[in-house]
Structure formats: structure tokens, C-alpha cells
Amino acid sequence: MNNSHVFLTRHGARVDTEDQQWLRKCSHNRSDDPHLSSAGRKGALELAAEIKRQVDGCTVAHIVSSPYVRCVETAHIVAEVIGVDVKIEPGIAEVNSSRTPGFLDVVELQRQYPLIDTTYTPIMASGDLPREYSDGA
């Protein structure tokens, strides 16, 4: 019998919850794309250690992440510990405003996070993400 497991997690703590001036210190202007805080990186390391413990002796087939930097950073920390590249899937990204989110593309992400799998073809391209309208907008 083949035992398969799926682990689903949320990204680590965002820097914008700890530092209101974070965007001024960044090299980009994507206000909806904060990176992890120091607590978020610590949490991602704890997550990676726990997943490694849980999958001890098993093969991890995939790590899939939203293209938001905080998600990629969390997934990349796990990928470093587990030894599996990260597939970027815009189709699982949160869209919570009246404009399509501004993501970095896979090549740009790989410059900062080398374990990004640039051969993966996403099910939904970031340009195809629907705009989500709320509050009558």
C-alpha cells in the first residue's frame, strides 16, 4: 500500500506586521508583497524541521508555493531542509483587492531563491488571475 501525505501550510509571519516602514526599506514597490519577518523566518525553520521529521525515510515529491515573496521564502526554507525544488503556482495565490497582485516572475524569484523550479509550467499564469472585487467595488 502506498502511503501519501499532503502538508498544507500558511506562510510565516510577514514583516509588515512588525515594521510599518518596511516598504521604504525594500528594493521594490509591491505593497501587497512583504517578505518574512525574523519571526517568520524562525517559524519557517521550525516548520521545515517538523516536516523533515514527519517525512523521515519518505520521498517528498513536490513543494508548491504561491508567488508571493513571503510564501516563496517560507517554501524555500523548507526546500533547503528537505532537498526538493519549489514549484511556483500563481493559481493558489490570494487575490484580495480590485487589482491583480504584482508578483515577481519565476526568473526574478530564482535570483533570490535558487531552489525555484523554472521548468514547472503553472496551471494558471499570474496574468490569468481574476480580479476579486469586494465591498461593491
Side-chain angles (χ1 to χ4, degrees):
M1 185 166 130
N2 183 359
N3 288 328
S4 296
H5 303 283
V6 175
F7 296 90
L8 181 64
T9 186
R10 193 165 197 266
H11 57 77
R14 300 162 36 147
V15 70
D16 60 333
T17 62
E18 297 177 8
D19 182 358
Q20 298 301 313
Q21 302 301 315
W22 74 275
L23 192 55
R24 291 183 186 175
K25 301 172 188 175
C26 277
S27 60
H28 65 75
N29 193 27
R30 295 181 319 278
S31 62
D32 60 347
D33 199 14
H35 56 279
L36 294 180
S37 65
S38 56
R41 284 187 296 281
K42 180 177 184 275
L45 285 167
E46 291 170 358
L47 172 68
E50 179 59 20
I51 290 176
K52 183 174 181 168
R53 187 186 72 74
Q54 293 273 340
V55 300
D56 186 37
C58 299
T59 300
V60 174
H62 306 281
I63 297 176
V64 181
S65 176
S66 156
Y68 280 115
V69 169
R70 60 191 172 268
C71 302
V72 174
E73 192 174 358
T74 302
H76 195 266
I77 289 169
V78 174
E80 288 177 317
V81 171
I82 303 299
V84 176
D85 286 350
V86 178
K87 294 171 174 63
I88 303 300
E89 179 53 59
I92 63 172
E94 173 183 27
V95 179
N96 61 2
S97 68
S98 61
R99 59 179 164 62
T100 304
F103 301 130
L104 291 174
D105 68 28
V106 173
V107 173
E108 291 172 301
L109 286 168
Q110 192 189 41
R111 286 186 197 125
Q112 191 169 1
Y113 305 101
L115 294 178
I116 300 297
D117 179 356
T118 57
T119 66
Y120 173 71
T121 302
I123 294 168
M124 178 178 279
S126 59
D128 295 336
L129 289 174
R131 295 181 181 201
E132 181 179 298
Y133 297 94
S134 62
D135 299 328

